[in-house]
Amino acid sequence: AGMNGTAIENFVCVIFNVSFMNCTWHIGRTATEDTQYYLYWRPSKKEDVTECQNYIKDNYGRHMGCQFQNVTIEDKYAYFLVNGSRSGQNIQPYEKKILLYQIEKLTSPLNVSVNCTEASHRCSIWWQPPRTSHVKKNSCFKYEIVIENK
């Protein structure tokens, strides 16, 4: 139920720095200044539904995103629902199911070291894999090295 065009649009979530997640959306096309949105999510089927505790707001005070901390990524789906109201009227709800590991932005490799020897014209490069909460095998990572002569 709810008036057409009131549902949020362009819902996007990104996990970064291992356990932080930002979800953002655009206000519905026909939403008025008094429209308020509420985000609910369930990290897995085994967990309870919870409302966002840290909303991102626009100039009118409308919720247009949420910041989460201590998000645990596993090989699992999370379920999201954004609903709301305006002047006591319901708006169209928006639902989405997301596989969490697919939205993680990995950090750069850690402790990068370079050792070049002029005599042999060779360089050795070492690094440690990026921090992540869900990748158990380092062999899962693929790296690309770009070397520029300056």
Side-chain angles (χ1 to χ4, degrees):
M3 189 171 153
N4 284 343
T6 56
I8 63 161
E9 299 174 348
N10 301 321
F11 183 82
V12 176
C13 293
V14 176
I15 296 174
F16 60 97
N17 287 347
V18 181
S19 64
F20 295 95
M21 181 171 67
N22 273 1
C23 295
T24 58
W25 57 82
H26 293 144
I27 303 299
R29 292 182 312 280
T30 63
T32 56
E33 292 177 12
D34 66 339
T35 301
Q36 189 56 279
Y37 296 98
Y38 302 96
L39 171 64
Y40 299 89
W41 84 304
R42 186 170 62 181
S44 73
K45 286 188 174 184
K46 298 174 188 172
E47 298 178 58
D48 292 331
V49 174
T50 58
E51 184 183 351
C52 170
Q53 298 297 305
N54 192 18
Y55 283 107
I56 302 165
K57 299 178 183 182
D58 69 5
N59 293 338
Y60 299 106
R62 296 179 296 190
H63 302 156
M64 54 182 281
C66 183
Q67 297 174 326
F68 297 92
Q69 296 181 13
N70 303 318
V71 174
T72 303
I73 304 170
E74 293 175 9
D75 189 12
K76 63 183 180 182
Y77 281 99
Y79 303 87
F80 296 87
L81 166 69
V82 181
N83 64 15
S85 64
R86 66 174 191 195
S87 301
Q89 299 175 337
N90 288 337
I91 62 163
Q92 288 179 312
Y94 175 91
E95 295 180 53
K96 189 165 188 177
K97 181 168 82 169
I98 297 175
L99 201 51
L100 290 178
Y101 77 84
Q102 291 182 337
I103 62 169
E104 183 179 20
K105 300 294 181 197
L106 297 173
T107 63
S108 299
L110 303 171
N111 300 321
V112 177
S113 302
V114 178
N115 183 17
C116 296
T117 57
E118 216 173 298
S120 65
H121 301 290
R122 291 181 178 232
C123 292
S124 296
I125 305 172
W126 299 270
W127 62 86
Q128 293 176 325
R131 291 178 52 228
T132 177
S133 68
H134 73 284
V135 177
K136 305 298 183 227
K137 297 180 183 177
N138 290 339
S139 61
C140 291
F141 291 103
K142 291 184 180 181
Y143 301 94
E144 179 179 321
I145 299 173
V146 178
I147 299 173
E148 298 177 4
N149 290 329
K150 291 188 177 184

